[in-house]
Amino acid sequence: MQAGLILGCRHRGRAGVERERQVPLLAVWGAGDEIFGPDGARAFTRDLPDAEIHLVPGGGHFLLESHLDTVAGYVRGFLTVAASPA
């Protein structure tokens, strides 16, 4: 997906599977990531409108180093919901 943003083309293979199956997706992104900006996280919602996207204020590219507890909280919450019976 990132390559599609960078190259201006759309990756057809994997994105098609995600779109068809509507898999759960969590993206926790540094709002100030200068390498893969916030639009990279938001792009997932094109194929997965229910994707859970979190942009962490003050976070950059090395989000786990600067905001580990915040990211871990989002991951725990996501996995708890994903593991719950529907």
Side-chain angles (χ1 to χ4, degrees):
M1 188 155 292
Q2 289 294 333
L5 290 172
I6 293 168
L7 301 174
C9 62
R10 186 147 182 152
H11 179 65
R12 299 280 178 205
R14 185 163 173 80
V17 170
E18 292 165 350
R19 188 180 322 109
E20 180 181 315
R21 296 190 184 164
Q22 291 299 299
V23 297
L25 181 126
L26 169 68
V28 183
W29 226 263
D33 189 332
E34 295 180 2
I35 298 172
F36 298 114
D39 286 341
R42 292 183 196 109
F44 288 110
T45 62
R46 286 190 302 228
D47 292 314
L48 299 168
D50 294 330
E52 187 175 328
I53 308 296
H54 298 279
L55 301 175
V56 179
H61 187 67
F62 298 101
L63 192 61
L64 288 175
E65 291 181 17
S66 62
H67 293 76
L68 178 61
D69 291 339
T70 300
V71 175
Y74 285 128
V75 171
R76 273 193 295 272
F78 180 80
L79 292 175
T80 298
V81 170
S84 301

